[in-house]
């Protein structure tokens, strides 16, 4: 039996990588699939380690944390790219005006604010003495620059669409006005969505979406970039000039890339890594839970509302018809799907996930007979092999949870309605992203976040958007009435009135079967039990880890 690595040795050990990635930064190596034999071996290895491994060190001498990643992010600036890889690093490098507490936004770079009765005028008061990592003072001009940058470049274009004026009053005071009431606007100004960027660096005329500072970051948050080795690791160090006294509590965070996701559980068990977020490795979870040195938590993602759906390209003649989309929805038993997928998922029938305060029940009956009749009427008879039509379905190739669902759906569609979904595996995540943003797909499987407000996480999926943006209305669906409903809902100040408008939206979108909503996703954080104040943060590692620390003896 392999002796468990001592923590110091594990830190010196390089991750098991071969040659550098031939793909552009962030796209990664070709992703391996079909790991049934490897998964079995992994489970056996994990069980052996769980039974034999000693508990990890309670207080590492170097006061640092190693976070496992499944690939290298394209950049660290959340103002120009969404996704958990970019956001979990960006939330450490950059501050936001606010951060998310258990009951909503709480002060961060902004120590206080005022909002008028119409929720159209906002005044923010910044903390004195805050500086960027190069020592330059953070001013209201930087915040105004950052909000405008996110408004123009963030993939969630609808999130800041109503922002009309952003005006620095003095170095520490900022006024913001919106064209319509925006009661949820404060929720947008967290580091993972609207980071505070240095205007003196990003304002040099270089396009912000390709700016070298997106990787060579000069941030405003609790940790500064110390080093990076593309494809391997990103090292952040405590920024001694951080504006919150005594924070951060860790001296260093290393984000280490493991190109094969199957290596990450072993790395956690052996002490080579301390934490892995957004895990959907439910098959191994029971083994992790048997190890007293490891803790598995999910509560930190309760406000993120991750879910899975099939996105139809409505420019495809087949999926342009709501009736065909309805037939596909009626051929899938969502409850049976939820039971078939390990990890405790919940079935979904509409655009807002269950668990969200804005969710209202909608449903599509499971009725394969009616689904077949609809397809007959739509002009898609079965051929001599019983097949009505064949379409290709794509998925982000590092998303193993998606692949497990796809195989289930593939068998169900062919069995119940004679529609063959040919699973197409992209060579790497970047190739998949290029394919779906260019519209060169029939159907794609998506894992999305509903976030903590529909104006942030849901509207961007269905609001009319002609730009080619990943995870923002990739279906090319457009309905002016739906757009108007979204605008009314985001502007409604009365919570009950707002909930009623979102209920109407859910009913309308589900009636049109804009997507095939499937189930929630049981993401988990796997971590050394002695790592504190990660699971109690809303959004987990997507929040600032300035409070994170090791348990002391």
């Amino acid at each position: 039996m392999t002796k468990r690595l001592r923590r110091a040795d594990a830190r010196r050990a390089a991750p098991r990588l071969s040659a550098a990635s031939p793909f552009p930064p962030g796209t990664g190596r070709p992703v391996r699939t079909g790991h049934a034999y490897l998964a079995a071996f992994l489970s056996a290895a994990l069980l052996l380690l769980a039974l034999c491994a000693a508990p990890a060190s309670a207080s590492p001498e170097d006061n640092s944390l190693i976070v496992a990643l499944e690939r290298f992010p394209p950049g660290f600036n959340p103002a120009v790219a969404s996704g958990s890889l970019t956001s979990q690093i960006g939330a450490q490098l950059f501050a936001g005006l606010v951060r998310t507490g258990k009951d909503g936004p709480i002060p961060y770079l902004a120590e206080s604010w005022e909002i008028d009765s119409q929720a159209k005028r906002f005044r923010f008061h910044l903390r004195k003495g805050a500086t960027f990592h190069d020592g330059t003072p953070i001013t209201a001009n930087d915040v105004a620059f950052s909000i405008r940058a996110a408004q123009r470049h963030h993939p969630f274009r609808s999130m800041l669409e109503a922002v009309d004026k952003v005006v620095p009053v003095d170095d520490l005071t900022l006024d913001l006005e919106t064209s319509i009431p925006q009661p949820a606007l404060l929720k947008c100004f967290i580091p993972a969505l609207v980071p505070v960027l240095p205007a003196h660096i990003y304002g040099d005329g270089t396009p912000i979406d390709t700016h070298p500072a997106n990787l060579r970051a000069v941030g405003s948050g609790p940790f500064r970039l110390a080093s990076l080795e593309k494809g391997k690791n990103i090292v952040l160090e405590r920024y001694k000039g951080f504006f919150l006294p005594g924070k951060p509590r860790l001296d260093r965070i290393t984000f280490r890339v493991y190109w094969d996701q199957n290596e990450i559980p072993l790395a956690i068990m052996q002490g080579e890594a301390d934490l892995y977020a957004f895990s959907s490795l439910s098959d191994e979870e029971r083994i992790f839970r048997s190890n007293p040195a490891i803790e598995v938590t999910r509560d930190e993602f309760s406000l993120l509302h991750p879910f899975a759906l099939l996105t139809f390209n409505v420019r495809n003649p087949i999926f342009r018809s709501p009736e065909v989309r309805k037939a596909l929805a009626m051929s899938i038993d969502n409850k049976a799907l939820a039971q078939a997928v390990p990890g405790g998922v919940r079935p979904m029938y509409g655009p807002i996930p269950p668990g969200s305060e804005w969710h209202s029940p909608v449903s599509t009956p499971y009725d394969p007979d009616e689904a077949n009749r609809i397809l007959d009427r739509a002009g898609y008879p079965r051929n001599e092999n019983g097949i009505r039509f064949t379409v290709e379905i794509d998925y982000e190739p590092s998303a193993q949870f998606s692949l497990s669902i796809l195989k289930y759906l593939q068998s169900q569609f062919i069995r119940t309605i004679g529609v063959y979904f040919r699973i197409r595996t992209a060579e790497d995540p970047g190739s998949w992203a290029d394919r779906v943003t260019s519209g060169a797909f029939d159907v794609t499987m998506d894992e999305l976040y509903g976030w903590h407000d529909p104006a942030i996480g849901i509207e961007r999926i269905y609001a009319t958007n002609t730009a080619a943006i990943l995870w923002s209305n990739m279906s090319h669906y457009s309905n002016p009435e739906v757009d108007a409903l979204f605008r009314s809902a985001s502007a409604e100040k009365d919570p009950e009135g707002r909930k009623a408008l979102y209920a109407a939206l859910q009913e309308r979108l589900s009636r049109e079967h804009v997507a095939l909503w499937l189930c929630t996703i049981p993401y988990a954080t796997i971590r050394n039990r002695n790592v504190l104040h990660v699971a109690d943060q809303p959004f987990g590692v997507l929040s600032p880890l300035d409070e994170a620390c090791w348990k002391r003896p």
Side-chain angles (χ1 to χ4, degrees), residues 88 103 136 243 265 477 523 547:
Q88 64 184 290
D103 298 316
T136 304
F243 52 80
Y477 170 80
Y523 286 139
E547 289 276 5

Side-chain angles (χ1 to χ4, degrees), residues 423-435:
I423 298 175
R424 180 168 60 170
T425 301
E427 195 174 46
D428 59 89
S431 299
W432 169 79
D434 290 343
R435 185 178 293 161

Side-chain angles (χ1 to χ4, degrees), residues 42-303:
L42 173 65
S43 294
L46 286 174
L47 181 59
L48 186 62
L49 284 168
L51 293 172
C52 302
S57 170
S59 55
E61 293 179 2
D62 56 359
N63 193 34
S64 63
L65 186 71
I66 296 179
V67 179
L69 301 179
E70 65 268 17
R71 65 182 188 275
F72 198 88
F76 312 143
N77 180 0
V80 300
S82 63
S84 60
L85 292 174
T86 293
S87 297
Q88 64 184 290
I89 298 171
Q92 315 317 319
L93 288 170
F94 297 100
L97 282 174
V98 303
R99 62 197 300 173
T100 302
K102 297 191 180 300
D103 298 316
I106 59 176
Y108 195 26
L109 179 61
E111 62 181 359
S112 64
W113 54 82
E114 296 95 39
I115 306 173
D116 76 342
S117 61
Q118 296 300 308
K120 292 179 65 177
R121 294 185 178 185
F122 302 73
R123 170 164 285 190
F124 296 95
H125 303 280
L126 308 185
R127 296 182 190 272
K128 296 178 181 179
T131 62
F132 290 106
H133 298 163
D134 63 358
T136 304
I138 301 174
T139 69
N141 181 64
D142 295 297
V143 177
F145 174 88
S146 303
I147 292 172
R148 288 300 190 195
Q151 188 178 34
R152 289 191 299 269
H153 297 282
H154 196 283
F156 302 176
R157 295 291 167 84
S158 57
M159 177 176 68
L160 299 174
E161 186 177 28
V163 173
D164 190 23
K165 297 179 182 179
V166 188
V167 181
V169 177
D170 56 40
D171 282 352
L172 297 178
T173 310
L174 180 79
D175 283 350
L176 183 151
E177 294 185 19
T178 59
S179 56
I180 57 176
Q182 292 288 278
L185 186 63
L186 270 184
K187 296 179 181 180
C188 301
F189 295 132
I190 61 175
L193 295 172
V194 183
V196 175
L197 309 173
H200 66 284
I201 291 177
Y202 279 100
D204 63 357
T206 304
I208 189 171
D209 53 346
T210 58
H211 202 290
N214 291 337
L215 274 175
R216 300 292 177 180
V218 176
S220 51
F223 294 91
R224 60 177 290 273
L225 180 65
S227 66
L228 66 86
E229 189 174 1
K230 285 188 178 181
K232 293 186 178 181
N233 58 65
I234 304 109
V235 180
L236 310 185
E237 290 182 345
R238 181 180 189 268
Y239 178 50
K240 296 179 181 178
F242 185 52
F243 52 80
L244 294 182
K247 307 291 177 59
R249 298 173 68 179
L250 291 171
D251 291 328
R252 184 184 300 107
I253 301 178
T254 297
F255 293 89
R256 178 172 290 174
V257 178
Y258 293 82
W259 288 104
D260 187 340
Q261 282 180 284
N262 291 285
E263 294 182 345
I264 294 177
L266 290 172
I268 296 287
M269 297 292 284
Q270 291 178 323
E272 293 181 28
D274 305 311
L275 185 149
Y276 175 47
F278 299 97
S279 169
S280 55
L281 299 170
S282 50
D283 288 339
E284 287 77 39
E285 183 176 324
R286 61 182 179 82
I287 300 174
F288 283 122
R289 291 187 184 280
S290 70
N291 187 322
I294 305 296
E295 186 163 14
V296 179
T297 56
R298 287 199 172 94
D299 289 348
E300 60 269 34
F301 300 125
S302 62
L303 288 179

Side-chain angles (χ1 to χ4, degrees), residues 374-451:
I374 290 172
L375 292 174
D376 288 338
R377 293 195 299 268
Y380 295 104
R382 295 176 183 262
N383 63 18
E384 64 276 11
N385 296 317
I387 305 299
R388 297 181 184 275
F389 56 81
T390 297
V391 294
E392 289 190 307
I393 185 163
D394 294 282
Y395 70 102
E396 201 273 275
S398 67
Q400 295 184 355
F401 181 81
S402 289
L403 185 59
S404 67
I405 293 181
L406 279 184
K407 290 179 177 178
Y408 176 87
L409 294 175
Q410 185 183 49
S411 66
Q412 289 297 105
F413 284 135
I414 194 70
R415 182 179 64 83
T416 58
I417 55 175
V419 173
Y420 180 50
F421 275 60
R422 182 186 295 119
I423 298 175
R424 180 168 60 170
T425 301
E427 195 174 46
D428 59 89
S431 299
W432 169 79
D434 290 343
R435 185 178 293 161
V436 297
T437 54
S438 67
F441 74 100
D442 299 327
V443 186
T444 186
M445 177 83 179
D446 286 326
E447 297 182 15
L448 300 178
Y449 307 147
W451 284 94

